[in-house]
Amino acid sequence: VQDAVSGQDSGSRGDEGSWQHWKEKICQILGEIQAPLSSLLLRLCHWLLPKLLTRLFLSVQLHQGQLEMVLRAARTTEVPLVFLCSHQSQVDGPLLSFVLLSQGIGLPRVAVSAWTSPRLRSLLQCLGGIFLPSWSQLDEGLPGAVLDAYVQEVLRSRQPLVLFLEEPSASLRLADPARRWLLCVLRALRDGAVPDILIVPVGIAYDMAP
C-alpha cells in the first residue's frame, strides 16, 4: 500500500497533510471492503437463522464424511481455508456461514455480490460479508493494493474465506467478482504472505431454490 501511495504521490514532499489525505482515502477503500463485526447481530442471527431454515426447508443435509475431512483440514496449523462454492441462491452465504460457525470452524469472511442495497450491504458487513471496493481501476493503483493487503491479512489470521464462483441464476462461468478475489488469493500465495492454502470445493444444491 505504501508503494502504491508513493507511486501516485511522487510530486509531494511527503508532508503531514499529504499523508493524512492518503490515510483517509485508504480508510475509505477499506470501509467499502469490510466493517467491524457486530457480536450482537451475530448472536441474533445465530439464534434466528435455524428458525428461518426450518420454515424454508424440510431439512438441511451435510455429507458427514466430507465434513469430517474439512474439520481435519481446519486443524492444520498456519494454513488458511478458502471455500470455493457454487452459487444457487442469496441464502447460500448465510447458510454456509451458519454451518461453518456451528461446526467450530469459525466465522468466515464471505465475498458478497455488489448488487445489494446500501442498508443490506451494511448489515452483511457486520456479519462477516466483504465486498469489492467500487473503483473502476481495481486491478491498478491504491484500490488494488488495499484489496491485496486486506486479503493477505485475512489469510494470515486464518479466517475462513468463502468465494462464490458464479452469480445465482447465471450461466456456469466464472463471475468477474470471483475472478478478482481469486487473483488476490493467488497473489498472496505467490508473494509468500502464507506458506500454503487449503482449497475446499463446496457444492450447494436445493430441491427448489428459494
Side-chain angles (χ1 to χ4, degrees):
V1 173
Q2 288 177 341
D3 290 343
V5 169
S6 299
Q8 295 186 24
D9 201 30
S10 56
S12 172
R13 296 190 299 263
D15 53 65
E16 184 176 347
S18 174
W19 282 110
Q20 183 63 28
H21 163 75
W22 286 111
K23 182 178 179 181
E24 291 174 358
K25 184 169 286 190
I26 290 167
C27 290
Q28 179 185 354
I29 298 170
L30 188 59
E32 291 189 5
I33 299 172
Q34 61 113 53
L37 297 174
S38 169
S39 57
L40 177 61
L41 281 175
L42 286 169
R43 286 197 296 268
L44 177 63
C45 287
H46 194 72
W47 172 79
L48 189 62
L49 193 58
K51 302 181 186 304
L52 174 64
L53 293 176
T54 56
R55 289 184 175 273
L56 285 176
F57 310 118
L58 291 176
S59 64
V60 177
Q61 299 178 1
L62 300 175
H63 192 289
Q64 195 62 35
Q66 294 176 356
L67 181 61
E68 290 175 359
M69 291 174 63
V70 174
L71 291 173
R72 286 200 301 271
R75 291 192 287 269
T76 305
T77 58
E78 299 183 2
V79 179
L81 291 175
V82 176
F83 294 85
L84 301 184
C85 312
S86 60
H87 203 6
Q88 305 293 323
S89 163
Q90 300 297 346
V91 180
D92 295 348
L95 175 62
L96 192 54
S97 294
F98 171 73
V99 169
L100 295 179
L101 189 59
S102 64
Q103 296 298 318
I105 296 174
L107 180 71
R109 288 291 185 172
V110 181
V112 184
S113 171
W115 307 111
T116 55
S117 67
R119 288 185 178 180
L120 181 58
R121 182 183 180 122
S122 298
L123 174 63
L124 292 175
Q125 283 183 320
C126 293
L127 296 173
I130 54 177
F131 294 80
L132 291 171
S134 56
W135 295 72
S136 57
Q137 301 297 324
L138 186 56
D139 292 331
E140 301 175 4
L142 187 60
V146 173
L147 184 64
D148 278 341
Y150 174 77
V151 171
Q152 288 183 13
E153 288 303 314
V154 169
L155 296 175
R156 281 198 195 103
S157 61
R158 298 187 68 242
Q159 297 179 68
L161 180 61
V162 174
L163 305 179
F164 291 106
L165 298 180
E166 71 254 358
E167 295 294 337
S169 304
S171 58
L172 293 177
R173 61 181 180 84
L174 186 64
D176 187 59
R179 181 186 65 81
R180 294 180 181 273
W181 286 112
L182 285 171
L183 285 174
C184 291
V185 172
L186 290 173
R187 281 194 289 263
L189 188 59
R190 179 199 64 191
D191 295 341
V194 287
D196 201 357
I197 294 172
L198 288 175
I199 300 294
V200 182
V202 178
I204 300 175
Y206 303 92
D207 291 337
M208 181 178 293

